[in-house]
Amino acid sequence: MVLVVLCAGYAVGSALGWGSGELALIMGDFGLTAAAGAAAVSCFLYARTRRVRFRPAWLLFALSSAMAALGNLVWGWYEVVLGRPVPSPSYADLFFLCFAPPAIVGLLVLAARPVSKAGWVCLVLDAWLIAGSLLTLSWSLALAQAAKFDGPSVAHAALSLAYPLLDIALVSMVLVLHFRRSYVNRTAVNTAVGALALTVMCDALFTSPLMHNHYHSGQLLDAGWFAGSLLLAYAPWAASRQHGKDTGEGHTRVVHEHMPGHHPGGHPHAAPHPSARAPRQSPPPGGDHSRYPATRPITGSLAALTPYLAAAVCTLGILYNVLNGRSVDRVVLLTGGAVVLALVVRQGIMLLDNITLTQELAQKENHFRSLVQGSSDVIMIAAPSGILRYVSPAAAGVYGRPAEALVGTELADLIHPEDLGCVVHEVRRFLAASPQDEPTTRIECRFRSGDGGWLNVESTVNRHHGGLIFNSRDVTERVRLQAQLQHNAEHDPLTDLPNRALFTRRVQQALSGRRSSDRGTALRNTAVLFIDLDGFKAVNDTIGHQAGDELLVQAARRLQDAVRKGDTASRLGGDEFAALIVGDTTRDRAARQRHILELADRLRMTLSQPYLIDGNDVRVAASIGVAFAEPGLGAGEILRNADLAMYRAKAGGKGRVELYKPQMQQDVVRKAELATRLRAALHDGEFALLHQPVVRLEDGRISSVAAHARWRSSQGVLFTPAEFLRVAEDGDRTAELGRWILEEAVEQAADRAANGLTVPVAVRMAARRLLDRSMPLGSVEALLTRHGLPSGSLVIELADLDPRVPLDELERRLGALRRLGVRIALDGFGGGYGALTALRRLPVDVLKLDRSLVEGVVESARLHKITSGLLRIACDLGLQSVADGVDLPEQVVALRAMGCTHGQGMAFSGPLDEYRLRRALAAGRCSVPHGPAEPAFAGGATGVYTSGVTAVLGSGSALRSHTETPVPPT
């Protein structure tokens, strides 16, 4: 717009004579110099930019504009500075004559380069046809008179002919370039051609006899030169503005119909349709891009008529001389003859080229026909009315119907009715879209086969003379495979039940997919059952994993049969199952809960029935947690709640149904907080180690001490961290806490031994922790060696004998520890699982009676007999017996009478700190009651006997039993 305004202002000012004569001279000379100089600088700077196309052409245009600027500068020097007419010839004429050759060569660079010698010959012939015709016409009109020497000198006459001849050559190249220009940077090339055409037109007017004798600077003709130079200056930069538009590519739309298990994905773009003209469209393979340019129809027609138009111009030149009664000039005859000869040669070349093209076309037609006939894809051409006009022979193999039977049928009759609506909609949308933006589309639908069934067919659709071309292939197997893969991704491979991902998605749908009118009631009636098979690991360990898999398959079948049709049963992994019970609109929530709990209990009983596997009855129990949906809960939250309820059912004795309560989540949070506090206490050294004497019941002599961990609160009071220890047993810090207790006990025992107080120390450890890699065998030996603890001074109390612990491996580990001088005590004897099995297989030195037996040994005759029998077993095996939790004098008397050798409890002493322990060890014994005694209680604490050795912490407060579980406030 700025260029238009500037050039229009210059033209209006020249036409109306605005300003003084001196201003007209300055603008006509130095104004043109500035415009040409701007064009030279602009083209030169553009040629220096990176990744520019046709760099030599723009450099030549810069040189051509520089010559024009110098010519105008010399012209202005004479007219404006010296104030006298410009001589003829002058240096200005030299520069003006040098304007055309660089411009001509630059236009040749911009032209599309032929790829063959015949192409170059045709290019030269086209240029000569245009130039010869223009020369004939110009010579007939004006140049013949100019060629007669009637000027002041021969140079003046030559100059009179040089200008028009160069203009003719430049016009010829402009016209040739218009029909043969490259399709890269079209905007820049068109702008440059227009600028040079405007300049040549002004030159032709300047050299014509009509205006040459009356020309002076500042006329309207200068506005044409001014506009041509500015337009050439703008030309190279116009390419960058249109770059984004010229590089657009078409897109392909894909429509999938009835695709079970289909995952949409990327697909390659189809080739552009022939009718979609794109600036950067690639030529077809094997084609000659220069011979078949992608031109518009009008442009192609004018290019084909160029030779005949040139011949017509030559004929007009000759007729002009004849009609004016003048003899035909020899120059006109020679030029006309050369034009006719060039036309004949060019037509001969075109004839040979056409013969070659016809042969190539026939060859390619045969080639593509063989491709279509032999293709495994079905190619169909449908008319705009939807009637099939052509069907390739591959239809017989793909559709099971001969191609002849399909031709003439309605395409809509072959598409599945459920897919027809979407297919018609997509076809209409595709036909309405721009071919440039969307040259092709892809449709998948079901297609009728010859046997009456339906095939999944994928079709690539292209436009064809208002109709459509379908390139179709059978993808039924692929669709089935995708559906199978989708099923496998969402179902458990063993039981074929929905897996965790699909179950979670269905739970989420049940929580959010209800209508707003009944969503609240139905949501609250929706429940999730979380099921775990108790004892399943024992089945794998005893009769094998294959039997375990068969048990899971049967359990899944029972679960699937137990739920309703609209509910979902799922296997989450391992022996964990789940069921989604979709809610209804029942208003009585209590009745709904009772119904689902009854369903869960029936399911528990069903899953707990014996399983017949390889002729044997295998029994497992089922623990079920039930959680009801609540507003605001997601799928993850309700699954978590059901899982918590299931673990509460397992903790309550297994084989139970437990309903989720908010307290369960609070317990989990509190347990996590306690675990965090345990880690902090271990890190900050807040744990202390106390020791409780183990005395001989006969005389009260201290035979060993048992190490107990205590947690020191911020007030300095020691508390029994039983709850912390339960957290630690299931947490990651169990091994760290066990290592700390063992190292601290060994270090303190070694320090006491160095001071002459040698007494064995007992450390309680879980059986599974002895097999943990966190405490390898060599670590105990290294610990004893490092602290110099004498052999036999460490007793490991084996606790929590889990049936899942492999006894063979545990036996080997305990044997290795005994070889190090470590004594083994069986803790909790008579109150745990597999005590007799452990006693039979494990190398044990000490039997430690369980606290539950000791507490009722006086009151219960049954416990008295059981305890007496266990003590006889220990005596017969030659093992030392220790009673744990001896808190009352009556218990001491009774146990001693039954043959128990040692005791530990508040009847003798509570847990002692290091200072009081050393005082007790220095004394060597504790007072032991030898007859009936009445218990005395301190501070109302049940079972705390104070007649023995009193252990006081702080300001006289009695020690707590290590079975109590108070913890510091959070």
Side-chain angles (χ1 to χ4, degrees), residues 277-351:
R277 178 177 52 84
R280 301 187 67 180
Q281 184 175 346
S282 301
D288 190 343
H289 185 66
S290 64
R291 291 167 64 182
Y292 315 110
T295 58
R296 292 171 293 180
I298 297 178
T299 305
S301 301
L302 291 177
L305 292 176
T306 300
Y308 305 101
L309 293 176
V313 170
C314 289
T315 304
L316 290 176
I318 297 174
L319 288 176
Y320 178 81
N321 287 331
V322 172
L323 293 176
N324 287 336
R326 293 182 298 194
S327 61
V328 180
D329 195 286
R330 287 179 295 176
V331 174
V332 174
L333 289 176
L334 291 176
T335 305
V339 168
V340 173
L341 180 60
L343 178 61
V344 172
V345 173
R346 190 182 189 284
Q347 288 301 106
I349 295 175
M350 291 299 296
L351 180 61

Side-chain angles (χ1 to χ4, degrees), residues 442-669:
R442 198 170 65 182
I443 297 175
E444 292 188 12
C445 62
R446 287 169 290 178
F447 204 86
R448 189 185 301 276
S449 63
D451 57 2
W454 297 99
L455 300 174
N456 290 91
V457 175
E458 178 189 72
S459 301
T460 302
V461 185
N462 291 275
R463 298 173 179 85
H464 176 71
H465 299 303
L468 295 172
I469 298 178
F470 291 83
N471 193 336
S472 305
R473 63 202 61 86
D474 182 12
V475 293
T476 304
E477 290 301 323
R478 189 194 72 186
V479 171
R480 291 175 181 171
L481 178 60
Q482 288 177 346
Q484 184 63 40
L485 292 176
Q486 181 73 17
H487 180 84
N488 294 342
E490 295 179 341
H491 290 76
D492 176 57
L494 179 63
T495 63
D496 203 39
L497 290 179
N499 58 14
R500 181 183 293 271
L502 180 57
F503 183 77
T504 303
R505 187 161 63 249
R506 291 188 179 177
V507 171
Q508 188 62 44
Q509 291 172 356
L511 296 181
S512 60
R514 293 287 176 179
R515 299 191 306 270
S516 59
S517 59
D518 61 351
R519 185 176 183 274
T521 303
L523 175 65
R524 288 182 172 86
N525 289 337
T526 299
V528 170
L529 279 58
F530 204 103
I531 307 163
D532 184 84
L533 300 181
D534 303 321
F536 174 75
K537 186 177 185 304
V539 175
N540 279 338
D541 294 340
T542 53
I543 60 178
H545 289 274
Q546 185 174 356
D549 291 345
E550 178 61 26
L551 188 149
L552 291 176
V553 172
Q554 295 186 25
R557 191 178 302 117
R558 294 182 186 182
L559 177 60
Q560 185 69 46
D561 295 339
V563 299
R564 300 173 306 178
K565 184 177 181 181
D567 300 332
T568 301
S570 169
R571 183 192 177 201
L572 303 182
D575 60 341
E576 291 183 344
F577 294 85
L580 169 64
I581 310 300
V582 180
D584 52 27
T585 56
T586 303
R587 296 291 177 179
D588 190 350
R589 185 179 180 186
R592 176 66 175 169
Q593 288 188 0
R594 285 196 305 271
H595 172 71
I596 290 187
L597 289 177
E598 291 173 358
L599 172 64
D601 194 61
R602 289 197 303 270
L603 183 58
R604 177 191 63 81
M605 296 176 62
T606 301
L607 294 176
S608 300
Q609 295 297 319
Y611 296 85
L612 183 60
I613 300 176
D614 295 334
N616 299 318
D617 285 344
V618 179
R619 293 180 178 269
V620 293
S623 297
I624 302 178
V626 181
F628 284 90
E630 296 291 343
L633 282 184
E637 287 81 358
I638 191 173
L639 280 172
R640 178 204 62 197
N641 294 345
D643 192 12
L644 291 176
M646 185 272 295
Y647 275 107
R648 180 60 61 90
K650 294 178 73 70
K654 301 181 180 180
R656 301 173 65 248
V657 175
E658 193 76 29
L659 180 63
Y660 170 78
K661 297 180 179 60
Q663 182 63 36
M664 297 179 183
Q665 178 62 22
Q666 297 174 8
D667 292 342
V668 171
V669 173

